[in-house]
Amino acid sequence: MIRSLLHIGLIVPDLEVGRAFYELFGLHAVASGRDLVFRCPGRDQDQVRLMQGEKKKLAYAAFGTNETGMAELKRRLEKAAVPVVAAPFDVPFGGIWFQDPHGDWINVQIAEPAPVSDVLPSEINAHGRYRRVGRACDPSSVNKKAVPLRLGHLIKFSPDVNASVEFYTNVLGLRMSDRCMDILAFLHGSAGGDHHLVAFAKSSHTGLHHISFEVADLDEIEIGAQTLLRAGYKDGFGLGRHIGGSNYFHYIRDPWGSMAEYFWDIDVIPEDDSDWVPLNVPPEKVVMVWATTPPPEDFVVNFEEP
Ligand SMILES: [Fe+2]
């Protein structure tokens, strides 16, 4: 049923602080009523909506489905006795609203995410597959910036990962990709796609761990991260390569203690995922294949107030 992640809403105490961070990250800001909405350059798709409020808080996640999926979702919500209610925020889009087992708001719309830029990254000369022959690597790369292509996933903190998994799979139709006991679980969409659309990390309460944007190549991950670090933003973790999803990553702390991640080269799971066997890995093997540093001690600290 849930086929895509459309955007997330965040309540933050200062929109302009958010604008400075996300614009330097590579997103474009557009005023939308009293809110600030961020999109990837050249793509007609909201990705982050910042709403003014007292304390920073993940407000909601907006997902996409199709007509059949919406009908099935409504049936399952009714069966699970989850009330569908009027929009709890003053936002200019439709869809249905309800809360997950821990009170986090979910919006689901009949919508397909806008197409992502069809400009292909430069070819890579990997051993045995030399694709860039007779020409140098793109010389414009010396002036390169990170250009986020799309919001790929969010990781939420959950006080009960198993309860979150049960709700998001049984009611919303997401599917298990890989997990680490009751500490971390990665779920993919019902139409396949990225290894994870949503993941849950154990904490005492809910909150946003990170949101993650795909970029065109490894250069852009590190150019983006270094740009933010030079501007004084705090390092989150990276550069490295994950186990769950296999993607290269670099996380930077946003101004409120959650993180924004650049990713590249993530695993893709087909719509027919019957051949995909979810792993259940021990905690010491869950984070990375390699990274330039060990994960910082605060990597899984939930800085969002309950
Ligand atoms: Fe991620």
Side-chain angles (χ1 to χ4, degrees):
M1 293 174 297
I2 297 299
R3 298 167 64 86
S4 61
L5 171 62
L6 298 174
H7 76 276
I8 65 151
L10 283 178
I11 295 167
V12 297
D14 189 331
L15 297 184
E16 290 307 313
V17 168
R19 183 203 294 271
F21 176 77
Y22 286 114
E23 284 193 336
L24 197 61
F25 186 87
L27 303 179
H28 284 173
V30 187
S32 170
R34 288 168 298 172
D35 305 336
L36 264 187
V37 170
F38 295 86
R39 294 182 170 190
C40 296
R43 183 163 177 245
D44 186 22
Q45 174 69 55
D46 294 353
Q47 304 276 246
V48 178
R49 172 174 290 267
L50 295 188
M51 302 181 285
Q52 179 83 44
E54 246 176 63
K55 289 187 301 188
K56 180 257 176 174
K57 182 173 174 53
L58 175 63
Y60 65 87
F63 297 100
T65 187
N66 54 19
E67 282 189 29
T68 315
M70 181 63 87
E72 178 63 14
L73 173 62
K74 287 178 177 172
R75 192 188 68 76
R76 292 193 190 188
L77 288 169
E78 192 176 346
K79 190 177 167 203
V82 177
V84 172
V85 300
F89 306 101
D90 181 16
V91 289
F93 53 84
I96 64 170
W97 289 87
F98 52 92
Q99 287 169 290
D100 75 8
H102 303 113
D104 284 352
W105 286 106
I106 299 172
N107 168 257
V108 181
Q109 305 168 33
I110 297 174
E112 285 291 325
V116 177
S117 164
D118 57 2
V119 177
L120 295 174
S122 46
E123 295 282 12
I124 295 168
N125 278 350
H127 171 68
R129 285 189 305 169
Y130 287 175
R131 298 275 170 78
R132 195 186 68 252
V133 176
R135 60 191 165 88
C137 191
D138 181 2
S140 67
S141 62
V142 289
N143 297 318
K144 221 170 172 182
K145 288 181 179 172
V147 180
L149 298 168
R150 64 184 175 95
L151 173 64
H153 59 264
L154 85 154
I155 293 199
K156 287 156 59 79
F157 287 112
S158 167
D160 186 339
V161 170
N162 287 339
S164 294
V165 166
E166 189 176 319
F167 183 80
Y168 281 77
T169 54
N170 291 343
V171 182
L172 272 64
L174 290 161
R175 297 171 181 174
M176 177 63 70
S177 304
D178 292 308
R179 70 183 303 158
C180 167
M181 303 187 300
D182 65 347
I183 297 170
L184 181 64
F186 297 103
L187 306 180
H188 60 277
S190 64
D194 289 359
H195 173 272
H196 47 285
L197 201 67
V198 183
F200 299 97
K202 189 164 184 163
S203 177
S204 54
H205 57 283
T206 63
L208 175 65
H209 181 265
H210 75 265
I211 52 175
S212 190
F213 288 84
E214 186 179 31
V215 289
D217 55 29
L218 190 60
D219 297 343
E220 290 199 21
I221 291 185
E222 214 41 30
I223 289 168
Q226 294 301 326
T227 299
L228 288 157
L229 293 175
R230 278 197 295 272
Y233 292 104
K234 189 169 175 254
D235 207 356
F237 180 33
L239 175 73
R241 185 154 197 156
H242 276 312
I243 292 176
S246 307
N247 55 292
Y248 293 94
F249 64 85
H250 201 144
Y251 301 83
I252 303 293
R253 289 274 172 201
D254 71 21
W256 315 281
S258 293
M259 289 179 282
E261 177 189 29
Y262 296 106
F263 80 85
W264 175 64
D265 196 20
I266 199 166
D267 291 335
V268 169
I269 298 177
E271 182 162 7
D272 176 2
D273 58 2
S274 49
D275 288 338
W276 182 269
V277 181
L279 299 174
N280 191 352
V281 298
E284 66 273 14
K285 288 195 175 171
V286 74
V287 177
M288 70 216 193
V289 179
W290 63 267
T292 50
T293 63
E297 277 186 15
D298 64 1
F299 183 61
V300 286
V301 171
N302 185 354
F303 289 101
E304 211 161 291
E305 289 180 36

